[in-house]
């Protein structure tokens, strides 16, 4: 809802009432396929028969026939909308991660704030992908793109001044901590588990938001659009 920023940093579908959050990652920044599958099952069960929009800002090695990709397709076939990050392994061909390679999920690439595909955003196979049942190329990935932000590659020291100029005149005064390298990034709610960082936005003495970039930032934009 962006309540902590008085509505300034609200999401795309900021009026959403029923949000089910399945935390599948710990502080180690890694998880297992079993844990993700259990999180998906738990989330759908909470919906009690209603159709849901599922956001998966995650991915790993795999193909369209692995367990996570097949489970994602099954959810899509059941009428749920499954929105998945393409991955941050671009610009090489065939770098979309699983479950983003699943045929029936909505796989999201990342653009910068000018609308250009970022260099890190994973690309699909040039000839397309095969479904497990067919021996020919039948679909392409990613499906769509959304703002994911990019890393400002200007000389060090510019970013703090740039942010300071942009934030001047706000009723409350956000601050940057140190030297953030993420000038054109996406502003996201900051987890209480995250350590302090140079891209944090401090409001009333608390780091409530932070600047991040990646297809994981683009995916919830598209999930919100899809929900609306």
């Amino acid at each position: 809802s962006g309540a902590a920023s008085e509505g300034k940093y609200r999401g795309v579908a900021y009026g959403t009432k029923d949000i089910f959050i399945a935390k599948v990652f710990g502080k180690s920044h890694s998880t297992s396929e079993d844990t993700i599958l259990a999180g998906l099952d738990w989330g759908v069960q909470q919906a009690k028969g209603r159709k849901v929009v599922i956001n998966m800002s995650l991915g790993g090695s795999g193909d369209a026939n692995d367990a996570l990709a097949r489970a994602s397709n099954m959810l899509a076939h059941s009428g749920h909308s499954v929105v998945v990050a393409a991955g941050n392994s671009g610009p090489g061909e065939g770098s979309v991660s699983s479950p983003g390679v699943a045929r029936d999920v909505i796989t999201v690439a990342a653009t910068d704030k000018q609308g250009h595909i970022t260099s890190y955003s994973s690309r699909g196979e040039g000839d397309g992908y095969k479904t497990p049942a067919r021996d020919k190329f039948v679909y392409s990935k990613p499906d769509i793109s959304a703002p994911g932000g990019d890393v400002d590659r200007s000389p060090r020291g510019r970013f703090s001044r740039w942010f300071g100029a942009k934030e001047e005149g706000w009723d409350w005064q956000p601050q940057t901590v140190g030297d953030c390298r993420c000038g054109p990034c996406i502003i996201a709610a900051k987890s209480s588990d995250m350590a302090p960082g140079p891209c944090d936005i401090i409001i009333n003495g608390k780091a409530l938001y932070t600047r991040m970039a990646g297809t994981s930032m683009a995916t919830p934009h598209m999930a919100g659009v899809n929900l609306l």
Side-chain angles (χ1 to χ4, degrees), residues 18-40:
D18 294 327
I19 301 176
F20 309 117
I21 300 174
K23 187 173 177 62
V24 297
F25 281 84
K27 294 183 180 180
S28 65
H29 306 294
S30 63
T31 189
S32 69
E33 194 172 65
D34 287 346
T35 302
I36 299 170
L37 290 169
L40 289 171

Side-chain angles (χ1 to χ4, degrees), residues 6 14 37 46 70 87 90 97 104 111-112 119 134 140 152 165 170 175 180 184-185 199 203 205 211-212 218:
E6 299 179 358
Y14 54 86
L37 290 169
Q46 303 312 301
R70 285 186 283 123
S97 60
D104 297 316
T111 68
D112 60 23
S119 60
R134 299 189 184 185
S140 299
D152 195 325
W170 287 359
Q175 307 160 34
C180 180
C185 284
C199 295
I203 301 174
R211 297 173 177 86
M212 303 180 76

Side-chain angles (χ1 to χ4, degrees), residues 112-215:
D112 60 23
K113 291 189 177 182
Q114 285 70 50
H116 304 120
I117 298 293
T118 62
S119 60
Y120 64 75
S121 189
S122 292
R123 270 64 167 179
E125 294 283 1
D127 293 329
Y129 292 87
K130 301 174 183 178
T131 61
R134 299 189 184 185
D135 192 33
K136 62 180 180 179
F137 301 108
V138 292
Y139 68 97
S140 299
K141 291 290 176 176
D143 298 293
I144 202 164
S145 62
D150 205 355
V151 176
D152 195 325
R153 297 172 179 81
S154 305
R156 291 188 68 82
R158 173 178 172 182
F159 311 102
S160 297
R161 293 194 294 273
W162 186 85
F163 283 129
K166 286 290 182 180
E167 293 166 352
E168 187 176 358
W170 287 359
D171 293 334
W172 37 264
Q173 185 57 51
Q175 307 160 34
T176 54
V177 180
D179 187 26
C180 180
R181 298 286 294 175
C182 204
C185 284
I186 303 300
I187 293 175
K190 182 179 173 69
S191 168
S192 59
D193 288 334
M194 293 174 66
C199 295
D200 292 350
I201 294 177
I202 311 299
I203 301 174
N204 297 327
K206 296 181 180 180
L208 300 179
Y209 297 89
T210 192
R211 297 173 177 86
M212 303 180 76
T215 55

